[in-house]
Amino acid sequence: MRILLVGDVVGKPGRQAVKKMLPALKKEYGVVFVIANGENAAGGNGITAETAQELLDAGVDVLTMGNHVWDKKEALELLDVEPKILRPANYPAGCPGRGWGVFPAGEGLQVGVVNLSGRVFMSALDCPFRKAMDITAELRRLTPIICVDFHGEATSEKVAFGYFLDGKASCVVGTHTHVQTADQRLLPKGTAYMTDLGMTGPYNSVLGLETSIIISRFIYQMPARFEVAKGPIQLNGAVVEIDDFTGKAIAIEPVRRVWENL
């Protein structure tokens, strides 16, 4: 089985990138399942029912989230009724939504998807390591194919988390920083790992936002209203090939495409 994992989708340009590039990528790589991080899908922060459905209609099977999960008020209800949207599982018990699930992937296969958030330079949520240990143990009774989106800031925490889940998950990929890393690898016990998938959205931008606004904020240290950038769009992510029976990763390949003909 080949799974495409798409880095943080930012605003309308990110949604356009998914719609324009996903069909060809699925055909090129023989992808049968797509996971995308959608925490920035609505105007650069949060998600709405409309933006989520746009991505699902474009061919995304599961949307993961992160620290911007609650930025749009309607997400409080949306995540309770839409099982294809996951928020970090290490939010405290009682929060809306769910942090993991099992989803059909054709030919009788199922994919377990887990969303977790780091804690270094992030909100102080429950321990992602302990939470992941419990969830993956439960998932492995249902399917050997388990994909984890670890939404974190610190590379050290992400790398440690990858090795912690080596052999327990098919792949562990990072999101949140919006910058694709070049450290894709197969860990010793069969888990595919990549510190950050990168960003899907405006190519000429600072993490998806208008460059002039961000530069001005760095220089003058004054508050400014962020705007999603315009122009060429990109899709960043990775394709992971997984053995259907063992759940071990066979290969991981980064994906980076730019679309300039808007």
Side-chain angles (χ1 to χ4, degrees), residues 90 116-117 119 125-132:
N90 51 328
L116 288 154
S117 177
R119 297 192 295 182
L125 302 181
D126 295 342
C127 177
F129 290 81
R130 290 187 173 89
K131 197 71 176 179

Side-chain angles (χ1 to χ4, degrees), residues 3-252:
I3 296 175
L4 172 63
L5 302 110
V6 179
D8 301 53
V9 178
V10 180
K12 184 176 180 180
R15 303 195 308 272
Q16 288 178 322
V18 171
K19 286 191 288 186
K20 288 182 179 295
M21 301 185 215
L22 187 55
L25 285 171
K26 291 174 74 172
K27 184 176 180 180
E28 177 182 349
Y29 287 98
V31 167
V32 299
F33 196 82
V34 180
I35 304 167
N37 186 285
E39 73 142 8
N40 301 119
N45 295 102
I47 198 165
T48 63
E50 183 180 0
T51 54
Q53 194 59 52
E54 189 175 345
L55 292 169
L56 295 172
D57 288 344
V60 175
D61 294 289
V62 177
L63 289 163
T64 53
M65 299 295 287
N67 56 300
H68 290 297
V69 60
W70 313 122
D71 283 13
K72 298 289 186 283
K73 290 182 179 179
E74 67 179 87
L76 295 171
E77 294 183 4
L78 175 62
L79 268 68
D80 266 340
V81 299
E82 178 49 78
K84 293 182 179 180
I85 305 177
L86 302 177
R87 47 89 173 149
N90 51 328
Y91 270 97
C95 284
R98 57 198 63 77
W100 59 278
V102 179
F103 305 90
E107 299 184 358
L109 298 176
Q110 292 184 309
V111 178
V113 183
V114 187
N115 190 191
L116 288 154
S117 177
R119 297 192 295 182
V120 179
F121 310 126
M122 303 281 283
S123 298
L125 302 181
D126 295 342
C127 177
F129 290 81
R130 290 187 173 89
K131 197 71 176 179
M133 184 167 55
D134 293 340
I135 293 171
T136 54
E138 187 167 348
L139 274 174
R140 289 187 73 83
R141 291 195 287 268
L142 304 172
T143 176
I145 303 169
I146 302 171
C147 298
V148 180
D149 173 356
F150 189 57
H151 197 78
E153 183 77 29
T155 54
S156 59
E157 186 182 26
K158 288 179 171 180
V159 173
F161 192 77
Y163 278 105
F164 176 74
L165 285 184
D166 187 18
K168 301 180 181 71
S170 305
C171 66
V172 176
V173 295
T175 55
H176 179 64
T177 71
H178 291 206
V179 177
Q180 189 180 79
T181 55
D183 64 337
Q184 70 279 355
R185 69 187 84 169
L186 294 178
L187 299 180
K189 297 178 183 178
T191 295
Y193 173 82
M194 189 171 181
T195 298
D196 204 285
L197 294 173
M199 180 199 76
T200 297
Y203 181 67
N204 295 319
S205 68
V206 177
L207 309 185
L209 304 177
E210 283 287 351
T211 59
S212 60
I213 296 173
I214 305 303
I215 291 170
S216 177
R217 180 161 178 172
F218 276 119
I219 293 173
Y220 299 109
Q221 297 296 302
M222 296 291 291
R225 182 181 178 86
F226 293 153
E227 295 180 14
V228 176
K230 300 176 179 62
I233 53 179
Q234 64 179 330
L235 186 149
N236 284 187
V239 171
V240 179
E241 185 173 358
I242 301 168
D243 185 285
D244 295 347
F245 301 101
T246 67
K248 292 185 180 296
I250 299 168
I252 179 170

